[in-house]
Amino acid sequence: MSQPTPWQPWQSGQGVPQPWQSHTTSSMLASHADRERAVDVLRAGYGEGRLEHSEFEKRVARAYAARTVGELALLVGDLPAGPVPQPAPLMAVPPVPRTFLPTARPQTNGKAVGAAVCGLLCVPTLGLTGIPAVILGHTARAEIERTGETGEGLAMTGLVLGWLSTAGWALVLTLLIAVSLASG
């Protein structure tokens, strides 16, 4: 002898679902977002096998037709609030092939950065940082070639500006010496 199934408030033809009496907000009008959240819970329940397809369709239709939050609560009251975590599979996930892994970007050489900064500072310091720019630039290029770091452009910037500054000072000193010898 089978027991009669208890009446579910979401079943059509069995009466209008009544909002929960214990909740004061259950008679509040439902928003579109409330209905979508209820349908999401129903989808999760259906996806987990807690609902038959026909029952799922009836509940979704009732959720979209629901006017109050209480009606929505009755539709999802016997379901968990979201997907139940599934146990991890016994077999480990296969590793991603190396070709699809992101490549690590090489680090920028610090001496190349220093060479570029010294080269750019040649103008405001009137060429005082030209020689350090040249030294750092040559050292950085050697390290970049050896280690594979980035920063070749920065090192070259420091070298060019450093050599221009050094050449400018050499020209100024040569002119000063020539003028002093000619006048003197």
Side-chain angles (χ1 to χ4, degrees), residues 25-48:
T25 60
S26 61
S27 61
M28 182 172 50
L29 292 177
S31 68
H32 294 298
D34 294 331
R35 289 183 193 91
E36 289 300 324
R37 279 191 292 271
V39 170
D40 286 342
V41 172
L42 291 171
R43 281 189 189 119
Y46 176 69
E48 294 170 353

PDB file of all heavy atoms in Angstrom, residues 25-48:
ATOM      1  N   THR A  25       8.913  39.429   4.886  1.00  0.00           N
ATOM      2  CA  THR A  25       9.124  39.940   3.537  1.00  0.00           C
ATOM      3  C   THR A  25       8.540  39.015   2.475  1.00  0.00           C
ATOM      4  O   THR A  25       8.671  39.295   1.293  1.00  0.00           O
ATOM      5  CB  THR A  25      10.633  40.095   3.258  1.00  0.00           C
ATOM      6  OG1 THR A  25      11.253  38.824   3.381  1.00  0.00           O
ATOM      7  CG2 THR A  25      11.256  41.115   4.176  1.00  0.00           C
ATOM      8  N   SER A  26       7.877  37.931   2.858  1.00  0.00           N
ATOM      9  CA  SER A  26       7.384  36.979   1.876  1.00  0.00           C
ATOM     10  C   SER A  26       6.230  37.536   1.056  1.00  0.00           C
ATOM     11  O   SER A  26       5.955  37.056  -0.028  1.00  0.00           O
ATOM     12  CB  SER A  26       6.969  35.678   2.555  1.00  0.00           C
ATOM     13  OG  SER A  26       5.932  35.937   3.470  1.00  0.00           O
ATOM     14  N   SER A  27       5.546  38.558   1.538  1.00  0.00           N
ATOM     15  CA  SER A  27       4.461  39.146   0.760  1.00  0.00           C
ATOM     16  C   SER A  27       4.949  40.307  -0.097  1.00  0.00           C
ATOM     17  O   SER A  27       4.160  40.921  -0.809  1.00  0.00           O
ATOM     18  CB  SER A  27       3.336  39.610   1.687  1.00  0.00           C
ATOM     19  OG  SER A  27       3.838  40.597   2.567  1.00  0.00           O
ATOM     20  N   MET A  28       6.257  40.576  -0.046  1.00  0.00           N
ATOM     21  CA  MET A  28       6.827  41.639  -0.860  1.00  0.00           C
ATOM     22  C   MET A  28       6.780  41.222  -2.329  1.00  0.00           C
ATOM     23  O   MET A  28       6.994  40.054  -2.657  1.00  0.00           O
ATOM     24  CB  MET A  28       8.282  41.899  -0.445  1.00  0.00           C
ATOM     25  CG  MET A  28       8.929  43.010  -1.210  1.00  0.00           C
ATOM     26  SD  MET A  28      10.565  43.477  -0.576  1.00  0.00           S
ATOM     27  CE  MET A  28      11.399  41.934  -0.443  1.00  0.00           C
ATOM     28  N   LEU A  29       6.501  42.152  -3.214  1.00  0.00           N
ATOM     29  CA  LEU A  29       6.449  41.849  -4.633  1.00  0.00           C
ATOM     30  C   LEU A  29       7.826  41.406  -5.121  1.00  0.00           C
ATOM     31  O   LEU A  29       8.844  41.960  -4.719  1.00  0.00           O
ATOM     32  CB  LEU A  29       5.981  43.063  -5.423  1.00  0.00           C
ATOM     33  CG  LEU A  29       4.515  43.468  -5.201  1.00  0.00           C
ATOM     34  CD1 LEU A  29       4.203  44.725  -5.984  1.00  0.00           C
ATOM     35  CD2 LEU A  29       3.583  42.342  -5.610  1.00  0.00           C
ATOM     36  N   ALA A  30       7.839  40.413  -5.996  1.00  0.00           N
ATOM     37  CA  ALA A  30       9.089  39.854  -6.508  1.00  0.00           C
ATOM     38  C   ALA A  30       9.598  40.695  -7.672  1.00  0.00           C
ATOM     39  O   ALA A  30       8.825  41.184  -8.494  1.00  0.00           O
ATOM     40  CB  ALA A  30       8.871  38.417  -6.966  1.00  0.00           C
ATOM     41  N   SER A  31      10.905  40.872  -7.731  1.00  0.00           N
ATOM     42  CA  SER A  31      11.524  41.593  -8.847  1.00  0.00           C
ATOM     43  C   SER A  31      11.941  40.591  -9.910  1.00  0.00           C
ATOM     44  O   SER A  31      11.914  39.376  -9.700  1.00  0.00           O
ATOM     45  CB  SER A  31      12.734  42.376  -8.351  1.00  0.00           C
ATOM     46  OG  SER A  31      13.761  41.479  -7.968  1.00  0.00           O
ATOM     47  N   HIS A  32      12.356  41.119 -11.058  1.00  0.00           N
ATOM     48  CA  HIS A  32      12.871  40.233 -12.112  1.00  0.00           C
ATOM     49  C   HIS A  32      14.102  39.479 -11.621  1.00  0.00           C
ATOM     50  O   HIS A  32      14.281  38.307 -11.931  1.00  0.00           O
ATOM     51  CB  HIS A  32      13.219  41.041 -13.360  1.00  0.00           C
ATOM     52  CG  HIS A  32      12.033  41.666 -14.018  1.00  0.00           C
ATOM     53  ND1 HIS A  32      11.000  40.929 -14.546  1.00  0.00           N
ATOM     54  CD2 HIS A  32      11.710  42.963 -14.225  1.00  0.00           C
ATOM     55  CE1 HIS A  32      10.089  41.733 -15.051  1.00  0.00           C
ATOM     56  NE2 HIS A  32      10.492  42.983 -14.869  1.00  0.00           N
ATOM     57  N   ALA A  33      14.949  40.163 -10.853  1.00  0.00           N
ATOM     58  CA  ALA A  33      16.152  39.515 -10.324  1.00  0.00           C
ATOM     59  C   ALA A  33      15.784  38.385  -9.360  1.00  0.00           C
ATOM     60  O   ALA A  33      16.436  37.334  -9.357  1.00  0.00           O
ATOM     61  CB  ALA A  33      17.038  40.542  -9.627  1.00  0.00           C
ATOM     62  N   ASP A  34      14.729  38.586  -8.543  1.00  0.00           N
ATOM     63  CA  ASP A  34      14.284  37.518  -7.639  1.00  0.00           C
ATOM     64  C   ASP A  34      13.829  36.297  -8.431  1.00  0.00           C
ATOM     65  O   ASP A  34      14.157  35.155  -8.087  1.00  0.00           O
ATOM     66  CB  ASP A  34      13.125  38.010  -6.762  1.00  0.00           C
ATOM     67  CG  ASP A  34      13.521  39.096  -5.789  1.00  0.00           C
ATOM     68  OD1 ASP A  34      14.704  39.120  -5.377  1.00  0.00           O
ATOM     69  OD2 ASP A  34      12.662  39.933  -5.452  1.00  0.00           O
ATOM     70  N   ARG A  35      13.077  36.543  -9.507  1.00  0.00           N
ATOM     71  CA  ARG A  35      12.612  35.423 -10.328  1.00  0.00           C
ATOM     72  C   ARG A  35      13.792  34.696 -10.980  1.00  0.00           C
ATOM     73  O   ARG A  35      13.807  33.468 -11.029  1.00  0.00           O
ATOM     74  CB  ARG A  35      11.653  35.943 -11.400  1.00  0.00           C
ATOM     75  CG  ARG A  35      10.321  36.383 -10.841  1.00  0.00           C
ATOM     76  CD  ARG A  35       9.370  36.831 -11.953  1.00  0.00           C
ATOM     77  NE  ARG A  35       8.232  37.518 -11.378  1.00  0.00           N
ATOM     78  CZ  ARG A  35       8.166  38.827 -11.173  1.00  0.00           C
ATOM     79  NH1 ARG A  35       9.170  39.604 -11.519  1.00  0.00           N
ATOM     80  NH2 ARG A  35       7.107  39.363 -10.620  1.00  0.00           N
ATOM     81  N   GLU A  36      14.771  35.446 -11.484  1.00  0.00           N
ATOM     82  CA  GLU A  36      15.931  34.821 -12.116  1.00  0.00           C
ATOM     83  C   GLU A  36      16.741  34.002 -11.121  1.00  0.00           C
ATOM     84  O   GLU A  36      17.242  32.930 -11.452  1.00  0.00           O
ATOM     85  CB  GLU A  36      16.823  35.873 -12.786  1.00  0.00           C
ATOM     86  CG  GLU A  36      16.213  36.492 -14.031  1.00  0.00           C
ATOM     87  CD  GLU A  36      15.905  35.471 -15.120  1.00  0.00           C
ATOM     88  OE1 GLU A  36      16.681  34.515 -15.282  1.00  0.00           O
ATOM     89  OE2 GLU A  36      14.874  35.640 -15.794  1.00  0.00           O
ATOM     90  N   ARG A  37      16.875  34.505  -9.885  1.00  0.00           N
ATOM     91  CA  ARG A  37      17.591  33.732  -8.860  1.00  0.00           C
ATOM     92  C   ARG A  37      16.857  32.428  -8.570  1.00  0.00           C
ATOM     93  O   ARG A  37      17.482  31.367  -8.421  1.00  0.00           O
ATOM     94  CB  ARG A  37      17.753  34.555  -7.588  1.00  0.00           C
ATOM     95  CG  ARG A  37      18.893  35.541  -7.631  1.00  0.00           C
ATOM     96  CD  ARG A  37      19.180  36.124  -6.263  1.00  0.00           C
ATOM     97  NE  ARG A  37      18.104  36.993  -5.799  1.00  0.00           N
ATOM     98  CZ  ARG A  37      18.029  38.306  -6.035  1.00  0.00           C
ATOM     99  NH1 ARG A  37      18.977  38.892  -6.721  1.00  0.00           N
ATOM    100  NH2 ARG A  37      17.026  39.013  -5.576  1.00  0.00           N
ATOM    101  N   ALA A  38      15.524  32.486  -8.494  1.00  0.00           N
ATOM    102  CA  ALA A  38      14.749  31.269  -8.241  1.00  0.00           C
ATOM    103  C   ALA A  38      14.914  30.279  -9.392  1.00  0.00           C
ATOM    104  O   ALA A  38      15.083  29.070  -9.177  1.00  0.00           O
ATOM    105  CB  ALA A  38      13.281  31.621  -8.036  1.00  0.00           C
ATOM    106  N   VAL A  39      14.893  30.787 -10.624  1.00  0.00           N
ATOM    107  CA  VAL A  39      15.065  29.905 -11.779  1.00  0.00           C
ATOM    108  C   VAL A  39      16.477  29.312 -11.783  1.00  0.00           C
ATOM    109  O   VAL A  39      16.665  28.141 -12.146  1.00  0.00           O
ATOM    110  CB  VAL A  39      14.751  30.667 -13.092  1.00  0.00           C
ATOM    111  CG1 VAL A  39      15.162  29.861 -14.310  1.00  0.00           C
ATOM    112  CG2 VAL A  39      13.268  31.007 -13.151  1.00  0.00           C
ATOM    113  N   ASP A  40      17.469  30.089 -11.353  1.00  0.00           N
ATOM    114  CA  ASP A  40      18.830  29.552 -11.267  1.00  0.00           C
ATOM    115  C   ASP A  40      18.897  28.392 -10.280  1.00  0.00           C
ATOM    116  O   ASP A  40      19.557  27.385 -10.528  1.00  0.00           O
ATOM    117  CB  ASP A  40      19.817  30.646 -10.854  1.00  0.00           C
ATOM    118  CG  ASP A  40      20.109  31.620 -11.985  1.00  0.00           C
ATOM    119  OD1 ASP A  40      19.833  31.278 -13.157  1.00  0.00           O
ATOM    120  OD2 ASP A  40      20.605  32.716 -11.685  1.00  0.00           O
ATOM    121  N   VAL A  41      18.221  28.526  -9.140  1.00  0.00           N
ATOM    122  CA  VAL A  41      18.201  27.438  -8.152  1.00  0.00           C
ATOM    123  C   VAL A  41      17.478  26.221  -8.738  1.00  0.00           C
ATOM    124  O   VAL A  41      17.912  25.082  -8.558  1.00  0.00           O
ATOM    125  CB  VAL A  41      17.543  27.914  -6.839  1.00  0.00           C
ATOM    126  CG1 VAL A  41      17.331  26.750  -5.879  1.00  0.00           C
ATOM    127  CG2 VAL A  41      18.384  28.993  -6.181  1.00  0.00           C
ATOM    128  N   LEU A  42      16.387  26.472  -9.475  1.00  0.00           N
ATOM    129  CA  LEU A  42      15.673  25.360 -10.111  1.00  0.00           C
ATOM    130  C   LEU A  42      16.559  24.667 -11.148  1.00  0.00           C
ATOM    131  O   LEU A  42      16.579  23.439 -11.234  1.00  0.00           O
ATOM    132  CB  LEU A  42      14.386  25.865 -10.765  1.00  0.00           C
ATOM    133  CG  LEU A  42      13.291  26.321  -9.807  1.00  0.00           C
ATOM    134  CD1 LEU A  42      12.173  27.001 -10.566  1.00  0.00           C
ATOM    135  CD2 LEU A  42      12.769  25.152  -8.995  1.00  0.00           C
ATOM    136  N   ARG A  43      17.302  25.450 -11.933  1.00  0.00           N
ATOM    137  CA  ARG A  43      18.206  24.851 -12.923  1.00  0.00           C
ATOM    138  C   ARG A  43      19.270  23.997 -12.242  1.00  0.00           C
ATOM    139  O   ARG A  43      19.615  22.917 -12.726  1.00  0.00           O
ATOM    140  CB  ARG A  43      18.882  25.952 -13.740  1.00  0.00           C
ATOM    141  CG  ARG A  43      18.022  26.529 -14.814  1.00  0.00           C
ATOM    142  CD  ARG A  43      18.810  27.463 -15.721  1.00  0.00           C
ATOM    143  NE  ARG A  43      17.911  28.147 -16.598  1.00  0.00           N
ATOM    144  CZ  ARG A  43      17.742  29.455 -16.643  1.00  0.00           C
ATOM    145  NH1 ARG A  43      18.442  30.247 -15.854  1.00  0.00           N
ATOM    146  NH2 ARG A  43      16.885  30.000 -17.478  1.00  0.00           N
ATOM    147  N   ALA A  44      19.800  24.504 -11.133  1.00  0.00           N
ATOM    148  CA  ALA A  44      20.810  23.732 -10.410  1.00  0.00           C
ATOM    149  C   ALA A  44      20.209  22.428  -9.891  1.00  0.00           C
ATOM    150  O   ALA A  44      20.830  21.363  -9.987  1.00  0.00           O
ATOM    151  CB  ALA A  44      21.387  24.551  -9.264  1.00  0.00           C
ATOM    152  N   GLY A  45      18.999  22.504  -9.347  1.00  0.00           N
ATOM    153  CA  GLY A  45      18.334  21.295  -8.858  1.00  0.00           C
ATOM    154  C   GLY A  45      18.061  20.303  -9.971  1.00  0.00           C
ATOM    155  O   GLY A  45      18.226  19.091  -9.806  1.00  0.00           O
ATOM    156  N   TYR A  46      17.642  20.818 -11.126  1.00  0.00           N
ATOM    157  CA  TYR A  46      17.394  19.940 -12.276  1.00  0.00           C
ATOM    158  C   TYR A  46      18.705  19.328 -12.767  1.00  0.00           C
ATOM    159  O   TYR A  46      18.781  18.133 -13.063  1.00  0.00           O
ATOM    160  CB  TYR A  46      16.713  20.726 -13.389  1.00  0.00           C
ATOM    161  CG  TYR A  46      16.506  19.926 -14.649  1.00  0.00           C
ATOM    162  CD1 TYR A  46      15.602  18.870 -14.686  1.00  0.00           C
ATOM    163  CD2 TYR A  46      17.218  20.219 -15.800  1.00  0.00           C
ATOM    164  CE1 TYR A  46      15.416  18.121 -15.835  1.00  0.00           C
ATOM    165  CE2 TYR A  46      17.038  19.477 -16.958  1.00  0.00           C
ATOM    166  CZ  TYR A  46      16.141  18.433 -16.976  1.00  0.00           C
ATOM    167  OH  TYR A  46      15.966  17.700 -18.109  1.00  0.00           O
ATOM    168  N   GLY A  47      19.761  20.128 -12.823  1.00  0.00           N
ATOM    169  CA  GLY A  47      21.057  19.643 -13.275  1.00  0.00           C
ATOM    170  C   GLY A  47      21.629  18.586 -12.353  1.00  0.00           C
ATOM    171  O   GLY A  47      22.384  17.711 -12.789  1.00  0.00           O
ATOM    172  N   GLU A  48      21.291  18.639 -11.073  1.00  0.00           N
ATOM    173  CA  GLU A  48      21.776  17.655 -10.107  1.00  0.00           C
ATOM    174  C   GLU A  48      20.882  16.421 -10.043  1.00  0.00           C
ATOM    175  O   GLU A  48      21.166  15.490  -9.294  1.00  0.00           O
ATOM    176  CB  GLU A  48      21.846  18.286  -8.710  1.00  0.00           C
ATOM    177  CG  GLU A  48      22.877  19.378  -8.616  1.00  0.00           C
ATOM    178  CD  GLU A  48      22.770  20.156  -7.318  1.00  0.00           C
ATOM    179  OE1 GLU A  48      21.812  19.935  -6.541  1.00  0.00           O
ATOM    180  OE2 GLU A  48      23.637  20.994  -7.089  1.00  0.00           O
TER     181      GLU A  48
END
